[in-house]
Amino acid sequence: LLEKAMRSDEQNFGEHHPKTALRYSNLALVLQHLGHYERAKELLYKAIYSNEQNFGEYHPDTAICYSNLAAILQILGDYKQAKKLLEKAIRSDEQNFGEHHPNTAVRYSNLALVLKDFGDYEGAKKLFEKTVRSAEKHLGEHHPTTAIRYSNLALMLQILGDYEGAKTLLEKAVRSTEQNFGEHHPATAINYSNLALVLQDLDDYEGAKILLEKTIYSAKQNFGEHHPTTANRYSNLALVLKALGDYKGAKELLEKTIRFGEQHFGEHHPTTGIRYSNLALILQILGDYNRAKALLEKATHSSEQNFGEKHPNTANRYTNLASVYINLNETKKAIDLWEKAYVIFYNTFGGEHPNTKTVQEWLDVYKPKP
C-alpha cells in the first residue's frame, strides 16, 4: 500500500514534495522491520533532502527523519554518522519542544543507545535516566513507552554490573508489555530476551531458557525464520544451551546464525563478529581450538575495525582469543592480549568491575612473576 502511495505522490507532486517525503519515511520504517536496511536507508536520505529543502534542518519533520535514519545506520554499524544525526535531531527537539517533552526524551534515548555502542556507558546511563523520569511523569509506569525506557536503562545497568537493578527494571517492563500487547508481541519478546540475558548473569539459566524459547516462537510467528530478529533469538538461546551443557545444540544454532549474518551483513559487521566469537567459545569447549582461533581472530579484527582498539567490545574479543592461545600453548600471546584487555576494562569500568577482576586473575595465574 505504501509503495502504491509513494508512486502516486511521485507522479502527482514530484520527489521533493513534503507529501512524497512522508511516504518515503513511512515506507522506510516498514522496510526496516522487514530487514531491508539498505533500501530503507536510501528512502530516508531522499526524505531528509526533501525536508531540509522545504522546512530546514530544525523542523520537527526533518528531526524525525534524522532519527529514523540514525536507527538504520546503527543497525548497519555506522555509529559515527548515527550519532551526528541524533545530535541534530536533539537540537531540533530542544528548540521546538524543550528538554522535558516526550519527543525530546525519545531522541535522548536513541542517542544513549549510540553512546552505548561507542562505549560511553556513563553518558548513556545519564540520558536513559532522564528518559525514564520523563516517561514516568508524562505517561505513567505501565505505559508501553515507559517499558522501553526501563528496558534501555536496564541494559546499561547490566553492562555496568548492576544485575539486580537491571532485573528489577526488566521485570517491570515485561509486566507492562504483557499487559498492553500480550505474550507473543515483538515488544514483549524484546523484554523477555533482555531479561533472559540478565538472568544468565545471575546464573538462572533455566529461567533464561524458558524466556528465550518464547522469544523464538514470537520471532518466527511475526517475522519468519530468516529475519535478523529471529537469528538474534537463536544466538541468545545458543548461549544458554552452552551454559546448560548442550554444546551440540548451541553449535547448531550458532552456525545457523553465522550463515545468516555473513549473507545479510558480511564478515566484518559487528553482529557477525559477535557470532564468530560465540561459536568459537563452543568449539573451544569441544576441543576444536584451531577453528576457534580462526573465528576469534576474525571477530577481533571486526571489533577493532568497527569500535577501535580501546573499546570494551574489543577487550572481550582479546580475552576470548587469549583463552584459545592458552589451549594452544601460546602463553606469551595470551598474556599480551590480557594486558591490553585489562587496561581497557580498568579505564572504562574501574578496578572493581567483574571483567577487570577476571582478567587480573588470569594474569596472576599465567604471567611470570618478577
Side-chain angles (χ1 to χ4, degrees):
L1 289 173
L2 284 169
E3 286 172 341
K4 291 175 72 173
M6 181 186 73
R7 287 193 294 271
S8 170
D9 286 339
E10 285 177 337
Q11 182 177 339
N12 288 290
F13 303 115
E15 288 193 3
H16 305 303
H17 193 276
K19 288 188 177 181
T20 312
L22 181 60
R23 300 292 179 261
Y24 290 149
S25 183
N26 291 340
L27 178 56
L29 291 177
V30 175
L31 291 170
Q32 178 183 350
H33 286 301
L34 292 171
H36 302 161
Y37 302 122
E38 287 295 339
R39 176 61 175 150
K41 173 182 168 183
E42 176 187 335
L43 288 174
L44 284 167
Y45 271 120
K46 293 175 73 170
I48 284 173
Y49 178 82
S50 171
N51 285 336
E52 286 179 341
Q53 186 177 24
N54 288 291
F55 304 123
E57 288 191 3
Y58 296 106
H59 191 274
D61 288 352
T62 311
I64 290 171
C65 288
Y66 288 151
S67 183
N68 291 344
L69 178 56
I72 299 293
L73 294 174
Q74 189 177 1
I75 291 169
L76 294 172
D78 189 353
Y79 305 118
K80 185 176 180 180
Q81 184 62 21
K83 180 173 180 279
K84 288 181 180 179
L85 287 170
L86 286 168
E87 286 170 343
K88 291 174 73 171
I90 284 173
R91 286 194 295 271
S92 170
D93 286 337
E94 288 177 340
Q95 179 177 324
N96 288 293
F97 304 115
E99 284 193 11
H100 304 296
H101 192 275
N103 285 6
T104 313
V106 171
R107 304 293 181 259
Y108 287 148
S109 183
N110 293 341
L111 178 57
L113 292 172
V114 175
L115 292 180
K116 176 182 76 69
D117 291 326
F118 269 114
D120 183 2
Y121 301 125
E122 287 296 336
K125 180 186 173 189
K126 288 177 182 177
L127 285 176
F128 281 136
E129 287 171 340
K130 288 175 72 170
T131 67
V132 166
R133 289 193 295 270
S134 172
E136 288 179 337
K137 178 181 177 181
H138 290 95
L139 304 169
E141 288 193 4
H142 303 297
H143 193 277
T145 298
T146 312
I148 294 172
R149 305 290 179 263
Y150 287 147
S151 183
N152 289 339
L153 178 56
L155 292 179
M156 283 314 312
L157 295 179
Q158 181 185 9
I159 289 171
L160 293 169
D162 183 1
Y163 304 128
E164 288 292 345
K167 179 185 175 187
T168 298
L169 286 172
L170 286 168
E171 287 172 341
K172 292 172 74 171
V174 164
R175 286 194 296 272
S176 170
T177 49
E178 284 179 341
Q179 179 180 331
N180 286 291
F181 303 120
E183 288 193 3
H184 303 305
H185 192 275
T188 310
I190 289 171
N191 287 324
Y192 286 152
S193 182
N194 292 340
L195 179 55
L197 293 175
V198 173
L199 292 179
Q200 290 175 67
D201 290 322
L202 294 169
D203 297 328
D204 182 4
Y205 297 109
E206 287 293 346
K209 180 184 176 187
I210 291 169
L211 288 174
L212 288 171
E213 287 171 343
K214 293 170 76 170
T215 69
I216 288 175
Y217 177 83
S218 169
K220 287 181 177 179
Q221 185 177 26
N222 289 291
F223 303 115
E225 176 79 20
H226 303 293
H227 192 273
T229 300
T230 311
N232 286 335
R233 302 291 183 258
Y234 284 141
S235 184
N236 292 340
L237 179 58
L239 296 180
V240 172
L241 294 180
K242 167 183 167 285
L244 292 170
D246 183 2
Y247 304 125
K248 182 179 178 182
K251 179 172 176 278
E252 289 175 357
L253 286 177
L254 287 169
E255 286 174 336
K256 196 173 184 180
T257 64
I258 282 176
R259 287 193 297 272
F260 177 90
E262 289 176 339
Q263 180 181 347
H264 288 84
F265 300 120
E267 290 192 2
H268 303 298
H269 190 274
T271 299
T272 311
I274 290 170
R275 288 170 186 162
Y276 287 148
S277 182
N278 290 339
L279 178 56
L281 294 177
I282 301 295
L283 295 173
Q284 189 176 359
I285 292 170
L286 295 172
D288 190 352
Y289 302 126
N290 285 316
R291 189 181 173 205
K293 175 185 173 183
L295 286 172
L296 283 169
E297 286 173 343
K298 291 171 73 172
T300 299
H301 178 72
S302 168
S303 190
E304 288 176 338
Q305 181 177 329
N306 288 291
F307 302 112
E309 291 192 5
K310 297 181 181 179
H311 194 281
N313 287 357
T314 309
N316 286 327
R317 303 291 175 269
Y318 290 153
T319 61
N320 293 339
L321 182 55
S323 67
V324 174
Y325 283 147
I326 289 295
N327 292 129
L328 293 170
N329 295 317
E330 299 181 42
T331 307
K332 172 92 170 46
K333 289 183 179 180
I335 291 171
D336 290 343
L337 287 176
W338 277 327
E339 287 179 334
K340 291 172 70 173
Y342 179 85
V343 172
I344 297 168
F345 286 141
Y346 186 89
N347 290 338
T348 304
F349 302 120
E352 297 304 311
H353 191 273
N355 290 3
T356 313
K357 288 183 175 181
T358 298
V359 174
Q360 183 61 66
E361 289 169 1
W362 288 331
L363 286 170
D364 290 342
V365 172
Y366 289 100
K367 188 173 181 179
K369 301 298 184 290

